[in-house]
Amino acid sequence: THATAGDRGTAAALCTNCGASFATQFCGDCGQERLPDDDLTLRAFARKAAHDVLDVDSTLVRTLRRLMAKPGALTVDFVAGRRKAWVGPVKLYLMVAVAYFLVMWPFMTHLQGNPQEAMRTFPGIEKVAARKDITVDELVRRMDGQMRTTMQAFTNFGAIPLVAGVLALLYRRQRRRYAEHLAFTLHTSTQAMVVAGIYAVPLTLLALATGTQLPGWVTWLTMPYLFWYTLASARTVYGRERSRRRMTVYFVANALLMGVVGFLSVITALYLA
């Protein structure tokens, strides 16, 4: 229900959301947009739906382009409050993570090889299988699923706040808020997933086309670029002073953290499978 008079563009209207009177396109009290008279027609519904989808897509593409082309710029914009034009760091990370695991994860898994072969060599695995009264193959299959779930959940969600904490320690003299380090970590982690996906697809297709299994070390070939990107981002966000040293510590801390996660995942999978 709208209370209007005279020209539609300047007439006062009652907000359909909070009931306040306003004469602009958006309500000054709650931000609700002025609704047209044909708001509930099928054409208007379709037009609004198309706008919402395309607007999200264009914003996402624009945000990803800035993320990849200008290291650290998204974090600087977020900290400075320039957020309207970009997808927020948490939403961006979650969107890319979902796409990564639904679309890109099978490619990464193929490149990394079959982990079940390595699991069969774990010390004492026959005894664990016998104690559980199952075959080694069944235990390995269960462990594989358990490890993937544990490592994916922690690496992509639980590790983020810990890694941001490492940054907070490294840059404690700058007296920045923890949320700034968290935004930086989310942005660099998102970029790493995008790079991994872009890198894994052509290599996997090459392996399938040639009928060969590429060596596992090919998944590490992007590390120099990822280090350069993280260093460039740090220099943009934190400044150039001792950035290389701090980012080296940051990378080592990440590697150690992932090593601990891997070890705990094996132990967890071995006894919970």
Side-chain angles (χ1 to χ4, degrees), residues 106-242:
F107 293 97
M108 289 298 296
T109 301
H110 181 85
L111 280 183
Q112 292 169 349
N114 186 0
Q116 295 186 15
E117 295 298 328
M119 291 179 193
R120 289 188 175 89
T121 65
F122 289 167
I125 193 169
E126 294 86 358
K127 294 181 180 179
V128 176
R131 187 163 59 248
K132 292 178 177 290
D133 196 25
I134 57 177
T135 65
V136 171
D137 287 343
E138 175 62 17
L139 177 59
V140 166
R141 187 189 64 79
R142 293 183 186 181
M143 287 178 60
D144 189 26
Q146 182 70 36
M147 284 183 62
R148 290 176 190 273
T149 301
T150 303
M151 292 192 69
Q152 288 176 20
F154 185 83
T155 303
N156 292 278
F157 297 101
I160 294 295
L162 295 180
V163 174
V166 173
L167 280 176
L169 290 175
L170 291 173
Y171 290 98
R172 60 188 180 278
R173 292 186 179 179
Q174 294 191 8
R175 300 185 181 277
R176 293 175 177 266
R177 295 182 182 274
Y178 177 74
E180 299 179 44
H181 306 299
L182 194 57
F184 179 92
T185 303
L186 286 166
H187 283 143
T188 53
S189 299
T190 300
Q191 185 266 354
M193 281 192 290
V194 173
V195 170
I198 294 174
Y199 175 75
V201 172
L203 284 180
T204 302
L205 295 178
L206 174 64
L208 292 174
T210 58
T212 60
Q213 176 65 54
L214 298 179
W217 54 260
V218 299
T219 60
W220 295 91
L221 291 179
T222 58
M223 293 305 293
Y225 170 72
L226 293 178
F227 180 81
W228 170 85
Y229 180 93
T230 305
L231 177 60
S233 297
R235 287 173 171 172
T236 300
V237 176
Y238 298 105
R240 300 184 66 88
E241 184 181 1
R242 298 183 179 178

Side-chain angles (χ1 to χ4, degrees), residues 49-73:
H51 175 271
D52 289 344
V53 171
L54 293 176
D55 182 61
V56 170
D57 288 347
S58 63
T59 303
L60 176 60
V61 171
R62 189 166 60 247
T63 303
L64 288 174
R65 186 183 300 122
R66 187 167 180 81
L67 175 72
M68 302 302 293
K70 297 185 176 181

